[in-house]
Amino acid sequence: MRKLAFFSALCFFLSAVEYAIPKPVPFFRLGLANLPIMLSFLCMTKKESTALIFLKVLLQGIISGTLFSYIFLFSLAGSVASGFIMMAIFHLFYEKKLVSWLGISMAGGLANNLAQLGVAYIFLFGENTRFVAPVLLAISFVASIAMGLFANAFVEKSKWLADLKNKNWTEEKNAEKKSAAAEEKKSSSKFQALILVFSLLMFILLFFSKSIYVVTSIFLLSIVACLAKNKKVKVLPSLAIILSVTFFSILVPHGKILVEIWKLKITDGAILSGLERSIKLCSCVFLSKLIVNRNMKLPSKAGLFMSMLFEYFEKLSEKDTDKKITFSNFVSILDEKLEKAFSC
């Protein structure tokens, strides 16, 4: 359960990052959340990887607010197709050293695109799908190559992943976690239950609201609630995310033109879209901080799973290094972050 919760949190985190990036095609995804799926093949059972695929789709729907929209259908079709194709190729060819992660990633990207184009043809664009297909296939081809090359480098150099595949190490860590969990179950309060209910309601309202005023109110309220619970609140990183995401959103103009600088048209739609996406992302982090409590007791295994997922998401969202990130040290810094978050 612990590994599944961590990889689900990693999918959640990467989906949140991907959600903040403007997309050239409405249902297109860069595929960042596919990385945990691929890595899961190395250290999880087929059953666990299958569960992770569907959890990834659910978490992407939650983080983007598209759970009950047609876009969720695109995500479901693409993720299931790519997930199972990558899993099949891994077990049939990777273990025999007949294919690398590059090949697995490209096959997954192609399966994802074909499934989404099929859904687009049936439910949305019809014959006009042929105009969307070249752009989608071209962008996804480049993205899947980049993801595959990164996966090759990460699997080769990752100490965290090597340790995770070690059965004895995993069992030892699980034993420590169970011991800690036994202590955590000793206390719980009605106040914490209210905090949990409040946070979950805010999550639902946050992801299904299209009003910038509602989203901003939840963001400010989540900060106040974290401060009231003595949680660490770092406002500057959130402001940096809001400014950067809004800036890149402006590069894809839509709506009423407010001002034109050289050839760049700054529109109200692009600004509001960037603000909404970035504030939702930051609110998600603060609400996760609010939910996480080492003394929290949730009923059943599902409750324990969700508690672990949010705890890992909080750890993954924290900035815990002052090292300058470069192309050469990116893998090592990411590896350290994953190891630190998984060991919490």
Side-chain angles (χ1 to χ4, degrees):
M1 179 187 292
R2 184 181 173 220
K3 283 190 289 186
L4 182 58
F6 182 80
F7 277 82
S8 298
L10 186 55
C11 283
F12 197 16
F13 174 72
L14 293 176
S15 294
V17 173
E18 188 171 10
Y19 171 71
I21 301 173
K23 302 172 182 61
V25 180
F27 48 87
F28 172 74
R29 293 186 185 278
L30 292 173
L32 297 179
N34 277 337
L35 182 61
I37 301 292
M38 291 191 288
L39 297 181
S40 75
F41 302 149
L42 291 168
C43 52
M44 294 168 64
T45 65
K46 294 177 183 178
K47 184 178 179 180
E48 289 173 324
S49 292
T50 299
L52 182 63
I53 291 170
F54 286 100
L55 282 168
K56 170 205 166 192
V57 179
L58 178 62
L59 294 170
Q60 283 181 331
I62 291 174
I63 198 71
S64 61
T66 59
L67 194 57
F68 298 105
S69 71
Y70 74 92
I71 297 178
F72 180 76
L73 186 60
F74 285 99
S75 179
L76 178 62
S79 294
V80 170
S82 64
F84 283 108
I85 285 293
M86 290 191 297
M87 188 189 302
I89 292 176
F90 173 83
H91 289 291
L92 289 173
F93 302 110
Y94 180 84
E95 294 177 332
K96 298 178 182 178
K97 298 183 178 180
L98 297 177
V99 69
S100 70
W101 289 108
L102 176 59
I104 293 174
S105 178
M106 293 178 67
L110 179 61
N112 179 80
N113 287 339
L114 293 178
Q116 289 192 340
L117 289 172
V119 172
Y121 180 84
I122 297 172
F123 295 103
L124 201 61
F125 298 127
E127 295 293 338
N128 292 329
T129 303
R130 66 181 185 273
F131 298 115
V132 180
V135 177
L136 181 65
L137 291 170
I139 297 175
S140 182
F141 178 71
V142 175
S144 62
I145 289 178
M147 185 60 62
L149 292 174
F150 178 77
N152 276 338
F154 185 80
V155 170
E156 180 182 351
K157 299 178 181 179
S158 175
K159 180 179 179 297
W160 166 75
L161 189 61
D163 287 342
L164 191 59
K165 290 189 293 182
N166 184 294
K167 185 177 180 181
N168 294 330
W169 184 90
T170 302
E171 288 178 350
E172 178 185 346
K173 291 293 182 180
N174 282 337
E176 293 175 0
K177 196 71 177 180
K178 287 178 181 178
S179 176
E183 293 297 323
E184 290 171 6
K185 289 182 179 180
K186 290 182 179 179
S187 64
S188 117
S189 66
K190 292 182 179 180
F191 176 72
Q192 182 58 38
L194 290 174
I195 290 293
L196 176 62
V197 172
F198 165 78
S199 300
L200 292 178
L201 287 175
M202 289 300 100
F203 264 116
I204 294 172
L205 184 60
L206 178 70
F207 293 124
F208 291 103
S209 173
K210 297 297 182 181
S211 169
I212 187 65
Y213 301 107
V214 173
V215 171
T216 303
S217 298
I218 294 174
F219 173 63
L220 296 174
L221 190 59
S222 64
I223 292 178
V224 172
C226 283
L227 290 172
K229 285 202 67 183
N230 296 319
K231 295 283 187 177
K232 290 183 179 179
V233 174
K234 297 181 179 180
V235 178
L236 289 180
S238 296
L239 291 177
I241 291 174
I242 292 172
L243 290 174
S244 60
V245 171
T246 304
F247 171 77
F248 285 108
S249 182
I250 290 174
L251 300 180
V252 186
H254 60 91
K256 181 181 178 181
I257 299 176
L258 300 177
V259 65
E260 187 170 353
I261 303 176
W262 292 292
K263 293 184 178 181
L264 176 62
K265 297 177 180 179
I266 300 178
T267 59
D268 59 350
I271 293 175
L272 289 174
S273 176
L275 287 172
E276 180 192 335
R277 288 172 179 271
S278 56
I279 293 174
K280 279 185 176 181
L281 176 59
C282 294
S283 299
C284 183
V285 173
F286 287 121
L287 286 173
S288 296
K289 286 179 178 289
L290 190 62
I291 287 177
V292 173
N293 188 324
R294 293 187 178 276
N295 296 319
M296 179 171 58
K297 181 181 178 182
L298 296 175
S300 75
K301 289 185 178 180
L304 177 60
F305 177 83
M306 291 303 298
S307 177
M308 294 170 64
L309 190 156
F310 280 118
E311 182 178 359
Y312 285 134
F313 179 80
E314 180 189 21
K315 291 295 182 182
L316 290 168
S317 303
E318 290 178 351
K319 181 182 178 182
D320 49 17
T321 180
D322 294 325
K323 294 181 181 178
K324 183 179 180 180
I325 300 177
T326 64
F327 182 79
S328 59
N329 69 3
F330 180 73
V331 171
S332 62
I333 290 178
L334 175 61
D335 193 47
E336 290 174 8
K337 184 176 184 65
L338 292 175
E339 186 169 12
K340 183 176 180 180
F342 188 71
S343 300
C344 72

